Amino acid sequence: MSSQPTAPIAETARQTADRLAAALAPAPRGLIIDGRAVPALSGKTFATENPATGLAICQVAEGGAADVDVAVAAARRALVNPAWAAMSAYDRGQLLYRLADLIEREADELAVLECIDNGKPASLTRWVEIEGSIKTFRYFAGWTTKFGGETLPVSPRSGARILNYTTREPVGVCGLIVPWNYPMSMAAWKVAPALAAGCTVILKPAEQTPLTALRLAELALEAGIPAGVFNVITGFGEAGAALVAHPGVDKVAFTGSTEVGKAIVRGATGNLKKVSLELGGKSPQIVLPDADLGAAAASIAAGIFFNQGQTCTAGSRLYAHAAIHDELLDRVAAEAAKLTIGNGLDAGVNFGPLVSQEQWDRVASYVEIGQAEGAEVMIGGGRPAAHGEGFFFEPTILRGAGRDMRVVREEIFGPVLSALSWSDADDLVAQANDSDFGLSAGIWTNDIRQGHRLAAAVKAGTVWVNCFNMVDNATPFGGFKQSGWGREHGRQAMELYSETKSVWVNLS
Ligand code: NAD
């Protein structure tokens, strides 16, 4: 017998989930205000459920307008508290690095927490949500010491000798409202640049997925971020609306549906707070006849079926050239057949349930609408066999879709690909751009000139040529048209959370 000590056996995702569920179930999760977990003033709570089972995980405080008042007051105090306001840029960056380290320490548990709350397979939450968030905090930690103003060559008529320079100041208290489809990474995309710029924040996670946001705020406190700098209000749309309307909030950053985005613009007029919006999409995937069909099919399938299609940039409109249309669709269908559907806690699963019954009903209704409009269900179209519980919906292709169909014009936000055939290149561009949205587009061709020409012609905030859904903190992300206002990531994100001040100093 070996005398070697045996390595501890790692907990399986299911064991972690059971442990988390046992720890979470007994008491409602509180709001995080001024560094403390507190119940909603109304005493109300709501259940957050596991989409793979439809069962409640725990109760969560239902924040409302009164709680928003308290959180805004805390964030306003923290904004001017020297513990935060006078902290050096370097030290602020160190706190963000420390927060990233703590997320890394908790990565396994956070990945499972996101999986049970959102339904996304744990293997995917691990790299998309958790590793993605770590990278975002580290990226913006670096900006703290690199983001500043300029010295500018002004030419006053008087001939006075003037020193003119600009500074960047935190925009103030920020209301950050995020959706359920990428809960932790959407929070990180906003919290990290806001804190890097020196703002204080009130994060409002989606009611379907509040758990990782609360944990993130706890870790921020553990990292040493002062109380009141990072607050979390869990709850429904009314809590978000209260944040948007609040006169003590200087900026709102929102990711979510275009419809709610419009309500936010209307709600923010009271004090004309700054607003940035990341909204819906209906992204075209354009395939030219010379494309590498194998690579295109794999990426088109991933582009619509990843995260069960609940991705703002999902490539949900396929424009396949008539010469390769049938072969391409067969290949995309073959890629879909490779997906392993199931509870995201199980190894090997890469396609989980939709987030809620409401979302399941919405996706199913669009499949019916598509059929009534004349499209044909090529694969999928409903609940997969052997998945009676939970909100599972099959990977679905609607072939024979037409430009005026609702399934081509409206965001379904599920695993449904609407496939169209094209043969006239000019009309192709017109069709691709014939959309209220302009978030992203994919182009597949081996002709570099065609790739660049189409990239220039397509109206979208991000264009991928021979790739899809690549996102990086270094490059701007956001939409044209009704897909949003402003850009996240990169320097642009720092600009979203800061004001520019121009200073004139008479040296004459
Ligand atoms: P949603 O608009 O219904 O909700 C988003 C958030 O807004 C939630 O936290 C919700 O509670 C809150 N909210 C609801 N009503 C509100 C109101 N009147 N005032 C203030 N806040 C309110 O969106 P969803 O269903 O959670 O998410 C799906 C949508 O998000 C899709 O349209 C998708 O395209 C979009 N999305 C966009 C991006 C992007 O970067 N462009 C990324 C992810 C998701």
Side-chain angles (χ1 to χ4, degrees):
M1 252 176 89
S2 162
S3 58
Q4 296 275 320
T6 45
I9 300 166
E11 208 176 39
T12 65
R14 276 197 182 265
Q15 287 168 330
T16 307
D18 289 346
R19 181 167 55 75
L20 286 172
L24 289 167
R29 301 284 281 132
L31 314 168
I32 305 273
I33 299 180
D34 214 5
R36 289 188 312 121
V38 292
L41 290 169
S42 66
K44 284 193 198 166
T45 63
F46 64 98
T48 185
E49 63 188 16
N50 181 342
T53 61
L55 301 174
I57 304 165
C58 63
Q59 292 287 315
V60 178
E62 185 184 329
D67 304 290
V68 168
D69 279 345
V70 181
V72 171
R76 290 228 74 86
R77 283 194 304 275
L79 187 67
V80 293
N81 180 349
W84 181 244
M87 183 180 285
S88 73
Y90 177 83
D91 287 346
R92 215 164 52 239
Q94 293 306 302
L95 288 183
L96 294 182
Y97 282 123
R98 205 171 302 149
L99 174 54
D101 292 346
L102 293 177
I103 299 170
E104 199 162 47
R105 186 192 74 191
E106 304 287 315
D108 290 340
E109 204 168 287
L110 282 165
V112 170
L113 189 63
E114 196 77 290
C115 170
I116 59 176
D117 209 16
N118 167 279
K120 189 180 316 201
S123 55
L124 303 184
T125 58
R126 176 66 195 242
W127 66 269
V128 181
E129 303 295 336
I130 314 307
E131 288 172 22
S133 299
I134 293 166
K135 284 184 181 162
T136 299
F137 278 104
R138 289 193 177 136
Y139 175 82
F140 284 105
W143 267 113
T144 56
T145 50
K146 292 154 201 78
F147 186 65
E150 316 171 83
T151 312
L152 294 161
V154 293
S155 307
R157 276 184 71 201
S158 63
R161 221 177 122 217
I162 296 285
L163 169 65
N164 178 274
Y165 59 89
T166 59
T167 56
R168 288 285 187 167
E169 297 182 7
V171 69
V173 171
C174 301
L176 312 177
I177 303 173
V178 296
W180 46 259
N181 60 336
Y182 291 92
M184 184 139 161
S185 44
M186 289 299 105
W189 286 20
K190 292 174 171 47
V191 173
L195 298 188
C199 297
T200 59
V201 306
I202 299 148
L203 173 63
K204 203 321 250 152
E207 52 273 34
Q208 298 86 347
T209 53
L211 296 180
T212 48
L214 292 168
R215 191 73 191 107
L216 182 63
E218 288 171 351
L219 293 175
L221 287 165
E222 186 181 339
I225 292 174
V229 169
F230 181 176
N231 308 279
V232 181
I233 295 280
T234 47
F236 294 85
E238 300 78 56
L243 206 47
V244 170
H246 204 290
V249 174
D250 303 295
K251 183 203 161 51
V252 166
F254 171 75
T255 296
S257 60
T258 295
E259 186 193 346
V260 173
K262 290 178 183 176
I264 283 177
V265 170
R266 290 191 293 272
T269 55
N271 66 342
L272 281 183
K273 53 177 63 70
K274 309 287 182 270
V275 175
S276 52
L277 306 168
E278 299 284 3
L279 307 176
K282 191 75 191 179
S283 299
Q285 286 268 30
I286 297 169
V287 187
L288 274 62
D290 69 340
D292 174 341
L293 292 191
S299 191
I300 288 163
I304 183 66
F305 301 135
F306 185 78
N307 207 31
Q308 298 75 248
Q310 302 165 126
T311 301
C312 51
T313 51
S316 51
R317 289 186 283 154
L318 172 61
Y319 293 92
H321 189 273
I324 47 92
H325 172 272
D326 290 356
E327 182 185 348
L328 181 66
L329 252 54
D330 286 344
R331 285 179 182 247
V332 176
E335 292 292 334
K338 292 181 195 166
L339 292 165
T340 304
I341 303 176
N343 186 318
L345 293 171
D346 295 333
V349 167
N350 52 15
F351 190 94
L354 299 179
V355 75
S356 62
Q357 182 65 50
E358 183 187 0
Q359 195 65 13
W360 197 98
D361 293 342
R362 176 186 163 93
V363 174
S365 77
Y366 269 108
V367 172
E368 277 178 24
I369 290 167
Q371 287 175 288
E373 288 175 318
E376 171 204 342
V377 175
M378 179 183 171
I379 60 165
R383 183 179 293 283
H387 294 284
E389 291 173 343
F391 313 126
F392 291 93
F393 201 97
E394 295 168 298
T396 299
I397 299 177
L398 296 177
R399 65 183 291 163
R403 64 197 301 169
D404 295 322
M405 291 184 184
R406 285 182 62 193
V407 290
V408 171
R409 308 197 69 83
E410 298 174 17
E411 185 180 46
I412 299 174
F413 221 54
V416 181
L417 179 66
S418 300
L420 301 92
S421 171
W422 66 275
S423 46
D424 175 330
D426 291 335
D427 187 48
L428 165 72
V429 171
Q431 283 200 59
N433 286 336
D434 183 14
S435 172
D436 290 339
F437 301 108
L439 191 58
S440 65
I443 295 164
W444 294 89
T445 176
N446 276 327
D447 180 338
I448 193 166
R449 289 166 306 166
Q450 289 284 14
H452 281 297
R453 278 185 199 144
L454 281 169
V458 169
K459 301 282 179 221
T462 298
V463 180
W464 291 289
V465 181
N466 294 332
C467 57
F468 200 75
N469 257 351
M470 302 190 97
V471 176
D472 192 289
N473 288 299
T475 186
F477 180 89
F480 284 28
K481 299 193 266 184
Q482 294 188 34
S483 288
W485 287 357
R487 294 291 179 274
E488 297 192 296
H489 293 332
R491 186 182 180 89
Q492 279 94 335
M494 294 300 292
E495 290 168 358
L496 288 182
Y497 295 99
S498 61
E499 290 278 21
T500 304
K501 180 180 280 175
S502 172
V503 181
W504 298 66
V505 183
N506 189 346
L507 303 176
S508 307

